[in-house]
Amino acid sequence: MEIRRATRTETVKAAAHLFDTAPEQGATERFLADERHHLLIAYLDDVPAGMVTGVEMTHPDKGTEMFLYELGVNEPYRGRGIGRALVSALADLSRERGCYGLWTLTEEGNAAARATYHRAGGTPERGQMALTWTFDES
């Protein structure tokens, strides 16, 4: 397995099957243009098998941390440690970039994600709740 950072829209298009929905051209360009946004793709025999995205977030009194935004492994490649390797690679990149930590959210019932994050060194934080705001695009 080889993990590479995506820096070109063509690379993202070639790995479109790893995302929840097809990547949008404009959003992909904005994501890749920001040095604080990271997209790592795992390849097996030059085939995109998994991806992870991370976004650096900086706050005046806390410094910079990495948010693991999304992790995806193509169905035929699951159970081979690709997700764990991608999370570990993002953690390594976070340390290299001077982040003080890495965090993510997942559904409580998502056993596969929770197991992957645990195997990659993550620990659940008790007493936390996620809140969301959804904006109408009209």
Side-chain angles (χ1 to χ4, degrees), residues 67-117:
F67 174 58
L68 188 162
Y69 191 87
E70 187 171 13
L71 173 67
V73 176
N74 198 10
E75 184 73 40
Y77 300 103
R78 291 181 184 165
R80 299 184 190 188
I82 293 169
R84 181 182 69 237
L86 284 163
V87 173
S88 295
L90 185 63
D92 291 343
L93 178 63
S94 301
R95 284 188 283 276
E96 290 170 20
R97 304 244 338 143
C99 296
Y100 69 84
L102 168 72
W103 68 283
T104 193
L105 297 168
T106 192
E107 297 84 11
E108 196 169 353
N110 189 339
R114 291 170 55 105
T116 297
Y117 297 140

Side-chain angles (χ1 to χ4, degrees), residues 5-136:
R5 183 168 179 188
T7 58
R8 299 176 37 230
T9 57
E10 296 81 16
T11 304
V12 177
K13 285 180 186 177
H17 62 283
L18 301 173
F19 293 84
D20 293 333
T21 60
E24 299 173 13
Q25 180 72 24
T28 300
E29 290 170 356
R30 285 190 306 277
F31 186 92
L32 295 176
D34 192 324
E35 69 178 24
R36 299 163 299 174
H37 294 176
H38 310 282
L39 169 55
L40 306 177
I41 300 176
Y43 294 87
L44 289 176
D45 298 323
D46 249 2
V47 175
M51 66 86 187
V52 66
T53 58
V55 177
E56 292 179 39
M57 301 167 46
T58 302
H59 195 270
D61 71 337
K62 293 173 183 58
T64 302
E65 63 186 337
M66 184 75 72
F67 174 58
L68 188 162
Y69 191 87
E70 187 171 13
L71 173 67
V73 176
N74 198 10
E75 184 73 40
Y77 300 103
R78 291 181 184 165
R80 299 184 190 188
I82 293 169
R84 181 182 69 237
L86 284 163
V87 173
S88 295
L90 185 63
D92 291 343
L93 178 63
S94 301
R95 284 188 283 276
E96 290 170 20
R97 304 244 338 143
C99 296
Y100 69 84
L102 168 72
W103 68 283
T104 193
L105 297 168
T106 192
E107 297 84 11
E108 196 169 353
N110 189 339
R114 291 170 55 105
T116 297
Y117 297 140
H118 178 74
R119 284 193 298 271
T123 57
E125 195 163 315
R126 302 280 179 221
Q128 298 296 312
M129 176 191 311
L131 303 162
T132 62
W133 286 253
T134 303
F135 303 112
D136 186 14

